[in-house]
Amino acid sequence: MSQKILLDKINIPGIKTYEVYRQNGGYASVEKALKTLTPDEVTEEVKKSGLRGRGGAGFPAGMKWSFIDKKSGRPRHLVCNADESEPGTFKDRFLMEYIPHLLIEGMITSSYALGANLSYIYIRGEYMWVFKILERAIAEAKAAGWLGKNILGTGYDLELHVHCGAGAYICGEETALIESLEGKRGNPRIKPPFPAVSGLWANPTVVNNVETIATVPWIVNNSGDDYAKIGIGRSTGTKLISASGHIKNPGVYEIELGLSVDEFMNSDEYLGGMSSNRPLKAFVPGGSSVPILPAELIFKTANGEDRLMTYESLSDGGFATGSMLGSGGFIVYNDTACVVRNTWNFARFYHHESCGQCTPCREGTGWLEKILWRIENGQGREEDIELLWSIQSKIEGNTICPLGDAASWPVAAAIRHFRDEFEYHVRFPEKIKNRDHFVAEPFSQVKHLVGGKVIV
């Protein structure tokens, strides 16, 4: 069994309440930090831990904290990004719903490290029931003296609020989140200046993901060095994975980074293998925005090494033969899945969620959706595949925020690894008009029609 840092107490009856959470060691990191450590010492422990942002980018959290402007004298803020809108990702919701005080404890300890006296949790609009859970937990923490003026008699003050968004995926990008929090339309800002210098209300601001902040109490209670001993290389600690798709045991898992993809996929402790005993076709390891990989590149890298659940191993080979750990939205597909339909579905999402600020994204995502719909519905043309490739390449790297990249990468990877499936859709439109075309006749059995080897 791997070590649990975030989910070790999740099954304790009543852990959602303050009383039970406190009885089981809750808020110990706040006591330790406020009474025995300076803010810079807390930051140093997080830097030592090697903790990387768990929202998808994987940037070292302690380093990000060290960038915050402490010289201007302006108020500082910590904002928790709980706008979990990446398709395939639901691990932050799990934490907030079942152990909300862990996040609140992390917010207090992290705010102290940053010198923030006013902090926010920005939560996805569709998580209204979780919003209410967090508000109740914050009220409990404040009543117990963990929030407000002069916490624990140390002279440190902190107010913490939950702000509910309106359901825009773009607000998961930190500057769009800040714009929304200020009451404006959620459009990403051009950087620089970065939020660490000029963020919320032009004040120095750090934005971190739920899972990242919830990890801080363990690091402070133990040490950054102890956290760094878990995992492998630069992928230290544990990671929450949202697992879904054609697997026997979908759900949220906490793994030690460095676990092999094979063990995670096939062991009874984790996903338990493929459901219905259908063969594995592809997987997306980090949410809808990361490249899809075919079966032959899932368990082994292109160099023949074991593929590991780490930032480095999953990206081994670049986008040609690798993907990304991302937010940990682990989606598994068996041979009945249609890659073209799946890619169209992702493109439809990104077109809908584009804020429209950048022309390549505003126009390009719409074209990606239309062309993929055309191919999936038996109206595709031979030149559409090259047209898709051209459009995605003109979006990538040409937008203010990464949403354009997130829309481009799945399309590029799908064509790169499953081009023959696109060709099949174009050349045999009558065979794919049935929505479940690969259920009765998996592509592995008909790929010889486009020059591929038949697999029975």
Side-chain angles (χ1 to χ4, degrees), residues 246 335-342 344-345 348 373 376-378 421 425 429-441:
H246 297 130
D335 65 339
T336 66
C338 174
V339 170
V340 176
R341 185 192 305 127
N342 179 77
W344 164 74
N345 201 33
R348 181 168 61 97
W373 181 91
E376 171 59 16
N377 285 273
E421 195 166 315
H425 277 67
E430 72 284 354
K431 286 182 172 289
I432 52 89
K433 286 183 178 179
N434 175 8
R435 187 180 185 280
D436 297 322
H437 45 270
F438 288 155
V439 174
E441 193 175 45

Side-chain angles (χ1 to χ4, degrees), residues 344 347-349 351-352 364-374 388:
W344 164 74
R348 181 168 61 97
F349 171 82
H351 179 213
H352 181 269
T365 54
W367 280 110
L368 291 178
E369 180 192 353
K370 289 175 184 177
I371 297 167
L372 284 162
W373 181 91
R374 190 160 70 204
L388 281 173

Side-chain angles (χ1 to χ4, degrees), residues 148-206:
K149 298 287 186 182
N150 194 26
I151 300 171
L152 301 181
T154 62
Y156 176 63
D157 305 334
L158 177 64
E159 293 296 333
L160 177 61
H161 303 284
V162 189
H163 181 90
C164 197
Y169 170 77
I170 193 65
C171 290
E173 195 278 333
E174 62 179 7
T175 61
L177 184 158
I178 290 170
E179 287 282 291
S180 176
L181 194 51
E182 291 178 349
K184 294 178 281 188
R185 194 175 191 273
N187 281 0
R189 297 174 179 175
I190 295 175
K191 296 180 283 191
F194 291 91
V197 175
S198 180
L200 185 62
W201 301 304
N203 294 330
T205 305
V206 166

Side-chain angles (χ1 to χ4, degrees), residues 134-285:
L134 287 176
E135 281 208 315
R136 189 181 310 117
I138 288 173
E140 290 177 333
K142 190 165 188 176
W146 299 103
L147 290 166
K149 298 287 186 182
N150 194 26
I151 300 171
L152 301 181
T154 62
Y156 176 63
D157 305 334
L158 177 64
E159 293 296 333
L160 177 61
H161 303 284
V162 189
H163 181 90
C164 197
Y169 170 77
I170 193 65
C171 290
E173 195 278 333
E174 62 179 7
T175 61
L177 184 158
I178 290 170
E179 287 282 291
S180 176
L181 194 51
E182 291 178 349
K184 294 178 281 188
R185 194 175 191 273
N187 281 0
R189 297 174 179 175
I190 295 175
K191 296 180 283 191
F194 291 91
V197 175
S198 180
L200 185 62
W201 301 304
N203 294 330
T205 305
V206 166
V207 181
N208 276 138
N209 169 262
V210 170
E211 183 184 350
T212 312
I213 294 172
T215 305
V216 171
W218 193 96
I219 293 171
V220 172
N221 285 333
N222 295 273
S223 74
D225 289 334
D226 284 347
Y227 187 84
K229 293 175 183 176
I230 306 168
I232 182 172
R234 292 178 55 243
S235 293
T236 62
T238 67
K239 178 79 184 75
L240 293 183
I241 303 294
S242 313
S244 62
H246 297 130
I247 48 177
K248 290 180 180 176
N249 305 320
V252 176
Y253 294 87
E254 183 173 12
I255 65 165
E256 290 186 17
L257 289 170
L259 179 75
S260 72
V261 174
D262 190 2
E263 183 177 352
F264 182 61
M265 279 275 294
N266 295 311
S267 71
D268 292 336
E269 182 182 350
Y270 297 108
L271 307 190
M274 303 296 292
S275 60
S276 305
N277 295 316
R278 301 292 312 185
L280 172 65
K281 179 175 183 176
F283 91 141
V284 174

Side-chain angles (χ1 to χ4, degrees), residues 25-41:
Y27 293 97
S29 73
V30 178
E31 286 186 291
K32 181 177 180 179
L34 269 61
K35 291 184 176 180
T36 68
L37 299 172
T38 67
D40 287 346
E41 286 173 335

